[in-house]
Amino acid sequence: MISIITAVYNGEKFIESCLQVVIDQNCLEVEHIIVDGGSSDKTVDIIKDKANQYPHIRWISEKDRGQSDALNKGIAMAQGEIIGVLNVDDFYEINVLNRICEIFKTLPEPSLIVGNCNVCNLEGKLITINKAKQLRTIDLLLERRINEDGIIDASFPLNPSAYFYHKSLHQQIGLYKVEEHYAMDVDFLLKAVRSSHVKYFNETWGNYRYYPGTKTFDDSVRGMSLVRIRQLFNDYIKTLPLIEQWQIWLARNINFSLLKIFYFSKHPERLPESIKQRLTKYSRT
């Protein structure tokens, strides 16, 4: 069985479509666990109505300490061997869950599998496609993979709608960090890739809505996303063996130097004046 976990709070705008997304997957081996944080809008009424119609929907509604705490509650409730996290405003491609169940039949435990993810706006218009092909620890930790908007670029899985993993993985790496309210998925992935069999599939599985008013979008606009992620990366690097720390340091600095060389070869007029003078002096000699 696959357990899809959705954490929600005052999500009446999307909760019905979220529930319907899983229903429309027509997967016989799925349960959809909804962890509501004590919503004051119509979210719980919508959940109740759908749960009365579809027995695969299981839910609780109570105050929590944030999204990470809600996800941990969902994991505790999960009866499936496979975990997927679906944010209330995101959605799957058609027939993804049956495909995931089929893939996991042949995988060693614990495994983490990652597919492609469409990044779209509120109306569903495609912005970009996230293809997280490089999933080694060193690939994930390179700062060059964070773009200027503070969004981790295509090398890092952007959204949990495009990855799934064995529930037993949590026995090795622990649960989601309750005190982390913004980058809990990044923290999870950094730990997961070191403790699981990781495999990338060049198939589109998830759709991630990125739009104003959401926690992630607004955090990026304030410039805090980049700060949080870099701090998380740097803290994690300190836990690695010294040889890996050096590998990451070299990769960061060598690649940055190459980027500078490439940039100034295209724009020599932007070189610092002191370097221009030195180049002129050497050219004369």
Side-chain angles (χ1 to χ4, degrees):
M1 180 183 288
I2 181 169
S3 298
I4 303 301
I5 301 171
T6 297
V8 61
Y9 178 71
N10 287 344
E12 65 178 6
K13 182 175 182 179
F14 291 106
I15 187 61
E16 186 168 9
S17 62
C18 177
L19 293 166
Q20 193 64 44
V21 161
V22 176
I23 292 167
D24 291 343
Q25 290 288 306
N26 293 315
C27 179
L28 299 178
E29 304 297 328
V30 68
E31 63 172 0
H32 195 178
I33 298 173
I34 312 299
V35 184
D36 176 75
S39 294
S40 58
D41 61 4
K42 297 179 181 179
T43 298
V44 173
D45 293 333
I46 296 170
I47 296 170
K48 282 182 180 179
D49 182 62
K50 284 289 186 181
N52 287 335
Q53 300 176 57
Y54 298 95
H56 74 275
I57 298 174
R58 302 171 57 214
W59 64 281
I60 59 171
S61 180
E62 60 187 28
K63 289 185 178 180
D64 54 48
R65 291 180 286 169
Q67 187 176 0
S68 294
D69 187 33
L71 291 176
N72 292 340
K73 290 181 180 182
I75 292 165
M77 292 174 61
Q79 298 176 348
E81 297 177 350
I82 308 163
I83 296 290
V85 174
L86 182 64
N87 295 330
V88 69
D89 50 354
D90 300 325
F91 56 102
Y92 294 124
E93 289 291 287
I94 296 172
N95 203 36
V96 164
L97 298 187
N98 285 313
R99 170 66 173 148
I100 299 305
C101 289
E102 194 65 31
I103 291 173
F104 268 92
K105 289 179 181 178
T106 62
L107 296 179
E109 190 171 346
S111 286
L112 165 71
I113 62 173
V114 181
N116 300 331
C117 184
N118 293 326
V119 182
C120 52
N121 61 17
L122 182 59
E123 290 73 34
K125 183 178 180 181
L126 184 67
I127 299 173
T128 187
I129 301 176
N130 174 230
K131 294 186 176 184
K133 300 177 182 179
Q134 298 171 299
L135 292 165
R136 299 177 306 160
T137 298
I138 190 170
D139 293 318
L140 300 183
L141 287 169
L142 294 181
E143 284 191 6
R144 70 172 185 272
R145 303 195 187 285
I146 305 175
N147 70 22
E148 61 186 6
D149 295 319
I151 305 170
I152 302 177
D153 72 13
S155 65
F156 205 107
L158 277 179
N159 187 267
S161 64
Y163 58 81
F164 303 83
Y165 60 92
H166 277 114
K167 180 183 178 181
S168 60
L169 180 56
H170 285 292
Q171 296 174 8
Q172 297 189 26
I173 66 173
L175 297 171
Y176 288 92
K177 189 184 294 185
V178 173
E179 62 271 22
E180 178 57 65
H181 300 291
Y182 289 87
M184 73 289 293
D185 50 343
V186 178
D187 177 71
F188 163 76
L189 287 167
L190 289 175
K191 297 172 183 175
V193 296
R194 293 185 68 83
S195 301
S196 63
H197 303 274
V198 185
K199 190 170 184 179
Y200 165 75
F201 291 81
N202 190 17
E203 306 171 11
T204 300
W205 293 341
N207 294 272
Y208 165 42
R209 285 193 176 101
Y210 182 70
Y211 59 94
T214 58
K215 181 172 62 176
T216 303
F217 186 98
D218 293 347
D219 198 47
S220 296
V221 170
R222 292 192 299 267
M224 291 304 299
S225 179
L226 181 61
V227 174
R228 294 181 202 279
I229 293 169
R230 281 185 172 164
Q231 185 61 54
L232 181 63
F233 281 10
N234 289 334
D235 289 344
Y236 187 76
I237 289 170
K238 295 175 184 177
T239 69
L240 299 177
L242 191 58
I243 184 65
E244 291 188 44
Q245 294 186 39
W246 273 104
Q247 288 174 339
I248 293 166
W249 185 89
L250 287 171
R252 283 179 172 180
N253 286 277
I254 289 173
N255 283 295
F256 182 62
S257 298
L258 291 173
L259 285 171
K260 287 196 294 185
I261 291 170
F262 177 78
Y263 176 80
F264 286 121
S265 69
K266 296 291 185 180
H267 305 283
E269 73 282 357
R270 298 178 186 175
L271 279 166
E273 194 60 37
S274 60
I275 296 179
K276 286 182 183 179
Q277 292 175 1
R278 289 180 189 175
L279 291 174
T280 301
K281 179 181 178 180
Y282 291 143
S283 65
R284 288 175 180 174
T285 58

PDB file of all heavy atoms in Angstrom, residues 11-17 19 42-53 57:
ATOM      1  N   GLY A  11      -7.554  25.277   4.389  1.00  0.00           N
ATOM      2  CA  GLY A  11      -7.279  25.063   2.967  1.00  0.00           C
ATOM      3  C   GLY A  11      -8.518  24.771   2.152  1.00  0.00           C
ATOM      4  O   GLY A  11      -8.477  23.961   1.214  1.00  0.00           O
ATOM      5  N   GLU A  12      -9.633  25.422   2.482  1.00  0.00           N
ATOM      6  CA  GLU A  12     -10.889  25.127   1.790  1.00  0.00           C
ATOM      7  C   GLU A  12     -10.826  25.395   0.291  1.00  0.00           C
ATOM      8  O   GLU A  12     -11.566  24.784  -0.482  1.00  0.00           O
ATOM      9  CB  GLU A  12     -12.042  25.932   2.400  1.00  0.00           C
ATOM     10  CG  GLU A  12     -11.923  27.432   2.229  1.00  0.00           C
ATOM     11  CD  GLU A  12     -13.133  28.178   2.814  1.00  0.00           C
ATOM     12  OE1 GLU A  12     -13.988  27.523   3.451  1.00  0.00           O
ATOM     13  OE2 GLU A  12     -13.215  29.404   2.623  1.00  0.00           O
ATOM     14  N   LYS A  13      -9.909  26.256  -0.128  1.00  0.00           N
ATOM     15  CA  LYS A  13      -9.804  26.589  -1.552  1.00  0.00           C
ATOM     16  C   LYS A  13      -9.323  25.397  -2.370  1.00  0.00           C
ATOM     17  O   LYS A  13      -9.726  25.231  -3.537  1.00  0.00           O
ATOM     18  CB  LYS A  13      -8.852  27.774  -1.742  1.00  0.00           C
ATOM     19  CG  LYS A  13      -8.708  28.229  -3.184  1.00  0.00           C
ATOM     20  CD  LYS A  13      -7.842  29.476  -3.276  1.00  0.00           C
ATOM     21  CE  LYS A  13      -7.733  29.955  -4.717  1.00  0.00           C
ATOM     22  NZ  LYS A  13      -6.895  31.188  -4.822  1.00  0.00           N
ATOM     23  N   PHE A  14      -8.474  24.545  -1.769  1.00  0.00           N
ATOM     24  CA  PHE A  14      -7.854  23.465  -2.539  1.00  0.00           C
ATOM     25  C   PHE A  14      -8.166  22.059  -2.039  1.00  0.00           C
ATOM     26  O   PHE A  14      -7.912  21.094  -2.753  1.00  0.00           O
ATOM     27  CB  PHE A  14      -6.323  23.635  -2.528  1.00  0.00           C
ATOM     28  CG  PHE A  14      -5.823  24.805  -3.310  1.00  0.00           C
ATOM     29  CD1 PHE A  14      -5.364  25.945  -2.667  1.00  0.00           C
ATOM     30  CD2 PHE A  14      -5.790  24.776  -4.699  1.00  0.00           C
ATOM     31  CE1 PHE A  14      -4.891  27.033  -3.388  1.00  0.00           C
ATOM     32  CE2 PHE A  14      -5.316  25.847  -5.424  1.00  0.00           C
ATOM     33  CZ  PHE A  14      -4.866  26.986  -4.773  1.00  0.00           C
ATOM     34  N   ILE A  15      -8.683  21.912  -0.825  1.00  0.00           N
ATOM     35  CA  ILE A  15      -8.769  20.581  -0.238  1.00  0.00           C
ATOM     36  C   ILE A  15      -9.633  19.624  -1.050  1.00  0.00           C
ATOM     37  O   ILE A  15      -9.306  18.427  -1.187  1.00  0.00           O
ATOM     38  CB  ILE A  15      -9.257  20.653   1.238  1.00  0.00           C
ATOM     39  CG1 ILE A  15      -9.180  19.266   1.894  1.00  0.00           C
ATOM     40  CG2 ILE A  15     -10.649  21.240   1.323  1.00  0.00           C
ATOM     41  CD1 ILE A  15      -7.800  18.673   1.964  1.00  0.00           C
ATOM     42  N   GLU A  16     -10.740  20.100  -1.601  1.00  0.00           N
ATOM     43  CA  GLU A  16     -11.599  19.191  -2.371  1.00  0.00           C
ATOM     44  C   GLU A  16     -10.886  18.688  -3.620  1.00  0.00           C
ATOM     45  O   GLU A  16     -10.940  17.494  -3.944  1.00  0.00           O
ATOM     46  CB  GLU A  16     -12.914  19.880  -2.756  1.00  0.00           C
ATOM     47  CG  GLU A  16     -13.889  18.929  -3.439  1.00  0.00           C
ATOM     48  CD  GLU A  16     -15.281  19.509  -3.564  1.00  0.00           C
ATOM     49  OE1 GLU A  16     -15.478  20.704  -3.276  1.00  0.00           O
ATOM     50  OE2 GLU A  16     -16.195  18.735  -3.932  1.00  0.00           O
ATOM     51  N   SER A  17     -10.195  19.584  -4.328  1.00  0.00           N
ATOM     52  CA  SER A  17      -9.479  19.163  -5.540  1.00  0.00           C
ATOM     53  C   SER A  17      -8.319  18.239  -5.180  1.00  0.00           C
ATOM     54  O   SER A  17      -7.991  17.311  -5.927  1.00  0.00           O
ATOM     55  CB  SER A  17      -8.971  20.381  -6.323  1.00  0.00           C
ATOM     56  OG  SER A  17      -8.058  21.140  -5.562  1.00  0.00           O
ATOM     57  N   LEU A  19      -8.230  16.084  -2.646  1.00  0.00           N
ATOM     58  CA  LEU A  19      -8.822  14.769  -2.399  1.00  0.00           C
ATOM     59  C   LEU A  19      -9.217  14.094  -3.709  1.00  0.00           C
ATOM     60  O   LEU A  19      -9.024  12.887  -3.891  1.00  0.00           O
ATOM     61  CB  LEU A  19     -10.042  14.916  -1.491  1.00  0.00           C
ATOM     62  CG  LEU A  19      -9.753  15.379  -0.063  1.00  0.00           C
ATOM     63  CD1 LEU A  19     -11.042  15.808   0.635  1.00  0.00           C
ATOM     64  CD2 LEU A  19      -9.063  14.283   0.732  1.00  0.00           C
ATOM     65  N   LYS A  42     -14.049  25.978   6.084  1.00  0.00           N
ATOM     66  CA  LYS A  42     -14.862  24.816   5.739  1.00  0.00           C
ATOM     67  C   LYS A  42     -14.043  23.572   5.409  1.00  0.00           C
ATOM     68  O   LYS A  42     -14.597  22.566   4.933  1.00  0.00           O
ATOM     69  CB  LYS A  42     -15.762  25.164   4.548  1.00  0.00           C
ATOM     70  CG  LYS A  42     -16.769  26.271   4.844  1.00  0.00           C
ATOM     71  CD  LYS A  42     -17.608  26.579   3.611  1.00  0.00           C
ATOM     72  CE  LYS A  42     -18.606  27.707   3.900  1.00  0.00           C
ATOM     73  NZ  LYS A  42     -19.412  28.037   2.689  1.00  0.00           N
ATOM     74  N   THR A  43     -12.743  23.629   5.670  1.00  0.00           N
ATOM     75  CA  THR A  43     -11.875  22.510   5.310  1.00  0.00           C
ATOM     76  C   THR A  43     -12.359  21.188   5.892  1.00  0.00           C
ATOM     77  O   THR A  43     -12.487  20.173   5.192  1.00  0.00           O
ATOM     78  CB  THR A  43     -10.428  22.782   5.787  1.00  0.00           C
ATOM     79  OG1 THR A  43      -9.928  23.955   5.132  1.00  0.00           O
ATOM     80  CG2 THR A  43      -9.520  21.617   5.469  1.00  0.00           C
ATOM     81  N   VAL A  44     -12.633  21.160   7.183  1.00  0.00           N
ATOM     82  CA  VAL A  44     -13.024  19.907   7.851  1.00  0.00           C
ATOM     83  C   VAL A  44     -14.351  19.384   7.311  1.00  0.00           C
ATOM     84  O   VAL A  44     -14.525  18.169   7.139  1.00  0.00           O
ATOM     85  CB  VAL A  44     -13.082  20.104   9.378  1.00  0.00           C
ATOM     86  CG1 VAL A  44     -13.651  18.867  10.061  1.00  0.00           C
ATOM     87  CG2 VAL A  44     -11.699  20.427   9.927  1.00  0.00           C
ATOM     88  N   ASP A  45     -15.290  20.271   7.027  1.00  0.00           N
ATOM     89  CA  ASP A  45     -16.575  19.841   6.469  1.00  0.00           C
ATOM     90  C   ASP A  45     -16.378  19.137   5.128  1.00  0.00           C
ATOM     91  O   ASP A  45     -17.025  18.114   4.845  1.00  0.00           O
ATOM     92  CB  ASP A  45     -17.507  21.046   6.285  1.00  0.00           C
ATOM     93  CG  ASP A  45     -17.938  21.654   7.610  1.00  0.00           C
ATOM     94  OD1 ASP A  45     -17.959  20.907   8.605  1.00  0.00           O
ATOM     95  OD2 ASP A  45     -18.221  22.868   7.642  1.00  0.00           O
ATOM     96  N   ILE A  46     -15.488  19.678   4.316  1.00  0.00           N
ATOM     97  CA  ILE A  46     -15.218  19.084   2.997  1.00  0.00           C
ATOM     98  C   ILE A  46     -14.553  17.722   3.162  1.00  0.00           C
ATOM     99  O   ILE A  46     -14.895  16.755   2.476  1.00  0.00           O
ATOM    100  CB  ILE A  46     -14.333  20.023   2.163  1.00  0.00           C
ATOM    101  CG1 ILE A  46     -15.076  21.337   1.887  1.00  0.00           C
ATOM    102  CG2 ILE A  46     -13.917  19.354   0.847  1.00  0.00           C
ATOM    103  CD1 ILE A  46     -14.221  22.430   1.274  1.00  0.00           C
ATOM    104  N   ILE A  47     -13.610  17.634   4.089  1.00  0.00           N
ATOM    105  CA  ILE A  47     -12.928  16.358   4.346  1.00  0.00           C
ATOM    106  C   ILE A  47     -13.937  15.309   4.818  1.00  0.00           C
ATOM    107  O   ILE A  47     -13.947  14.168   4.335  1.00  0.00           O
ATOM    108  CB  ILE A  47     -11.821  16.536   5.400  1.00  0.00           C
ATOM    109  CG1 ILE A  47     -10.723  17.475   4.891  1.00  0.00           C
ATOM    110  CG2 ILE A  47     -11.206  15.179   5.760  1.00  0.00           C
ATOM    111  CD1 ILE A  47      -9.728  17.884   5.961  1.00  0.00           C
ATOM    112  N   LYS A  48     -14.783  15.675   5.770  1.00  0.00           N
ATOM    113  CA  LYS A  48     -15.791  14.747   6.296  1.00  0.00           C
ATOM    114  C   LYS A  48     -16.676  14.203   5.183  1.00  0.00           C
ATOM    115  O   LYS A  48     -16.962  13.003   5.113  1.00  0.00           O
ATOM    116  CB  LYS A  48     -16.664  15.446   7.335  1.00  0.00           C
ATOM    117  CG  LYS A  48     -16.043  15.618   8.698  1.00  0.00           C
ATOM    118  CD  LYS A  48     -17.041  16.289   9.637  1.00  0.00           C
ATOM    119  CE  LYS A  48     -16.460  16.491  11.026  1.00  0.00           C
ATOM    120  NZ  LYS A  48     -17.437  17.174  11.928  1.00  0.00           N
ATOM    121  N   ASP A  49     -17.137  15.092   4.328  1.00  0.00           N
ATOM    122  CA  ASP A  49     -18.035  14.702   3.246  1.00  0.00           C
ATOM    123  C   ASP A  49     -17.369  13.688   2.317  1.00  0.00           C
ATOM    124  O   ASP A  49     -17.976  12.664   1.958  1.00  0.00           O
ATOM    125  CB  ASP A  49     -18.463  15.942   2.465  1.00  0.00           C
ATOM    126  CG  ASP A  49     -19.434  15.611   1.343  1.00  0.00           C
ATOM    127  OD1 ASP A  49     -20.531  15.104   1.632  1.00  0.00           O
ATOM    128  OD2 ASP A  49     -19.066  15.848   0.167  1.00  0.00           O
ATOM    129  N   LYS A  50     -16.134  13.960   1.929  1.00  0.00           N
ATOM    130  CA  LYS A  50     -15.420  13.055   1.029  1.00  0.00           C
ATOM    131  C   LYS A  50     -15.090  11.736   1.717  1.00  0.00           C
ATOM    132  O   LYS A  50     -15.171  10.657   1.110  1.00  0.00           O
ATOM    133  CB  LYS A  50     -14.127  13.719   0.530  1.00  0.00           C
ATOM    134  CG  LYS A  50     -14.330  14.775  -0.541  1.00  0.00           C
ATOM    135  CD  LYS A  50     -14.756  14.143  -1.862  1.00  0.00           C
ATOM    136  CE  LYS A  50     -14.809  15.201  -2.962  1.00  0.00           C
ATOM    137  NZ  LYS A  50     -15.242  14.612  -4.262  1.00  0.00           N
ATOM    138  N   ALA A  51     -14.708  11.805   3.004  1.00  0.00           N
ATOM    139  CA  ALA A  51     -14.348  10.589   3.738  1.00  0.00           C
ATOM    140  C   ALA A  51     -15.546   9.663   3.904  1.00  0.00           C
ATOM    141  O   ALA A  51     -15.393   8.436   3.953  1.00  0.00           O
ATOM    142  CB  ALA A  51     -13.756  10.962   5.096  1.00  0.00           C
ATOM    143  N   ASN A  52     -16.738  10.239   3.990  1.00  0.00           N
ATOM    144  CA  ASN A  52     -17.955   9.424   4.094  1.00  0.00           C
ATOM    145  C   ASN A  52     -18.239   8.677   2.796  1.00  0.00           C
ATOM    146  O   ASN A  52     -18.913   7.645   2.792  1.00  0.00           O
ATOM    147  CB  ASN A  52     -19.151  10.300   4.456  1.00  0.00           C
ATOM    148  CG  ASN A  52     -19.113  10.759   5.902  1.00  0.00           C
ATOM    149  OD1 ASN A  52     -18.511  10.106   6.756  1.00  0.00           O
ATOM    150  ND2 ASN A  52     -19.741  11.884   6.187  1.00  0.00           N
ATOM    151  N   GLN A  53     -17.705   9.213   1.689  1.00  0.00           N
ATOM    152  CA  GLN A  53     -17.930   8.591   0.384  1.00  0.00           C
ATOM    153  C   GLN A  53     -16.817   7.628  -0.011  1.00  0.00           C
ATOM    154  O   GLN A  53     -17.056   6.657  -0.742  1.00  0.00           O
ATOM    155  CB  GLN A  53     -18.043   9.672  -0.697  1.00  0.00           C
ATOM    156  CG  GLN A  53     -19.165  10.665  -0.504  1.00  0.00           C
ATOM    157  CD  GLN A  53     -19.133  11.753  -1.563  1.00  0.00           C
ATOM    158  OE1 GLN A  53     -19.171  11.473  -2.769  1.00  0.00           O
ATOM    159  NE2 GLN A  53     -19.055  13.005  -1.133  1.00  0.00           N
ATOM    160  N   ILE A  57      -9.899   7.456   2.510  1.00  0.00           N
ATOM    161  CA  ILE A  57      -9.544   8.736   3.135  1.00  0.00           C
ATOM    162  C   ILE A  57      -9.604   8.593   4.653  1.00  0.00           C
ATOM    163  O   ILE A  57     -10.652   8.251   5.214  1.00  0.00           O
ATOM    164  CB  ILE A  57     -10.489   9.864   2.668  1.00  0.00           C
ATOM    165  CG1 ILE A  57     -10.371  10.069   1.153  1.00  0.00           C
ATOM    166  CG2 ILE A  57     -10.160  11.162   3.409  1.00  0.00           C
ATOM    167  CD1 ILE A  57     -11.382  11.061   0.584  1.00  0.00           C
TER     168      ILE A  57
END
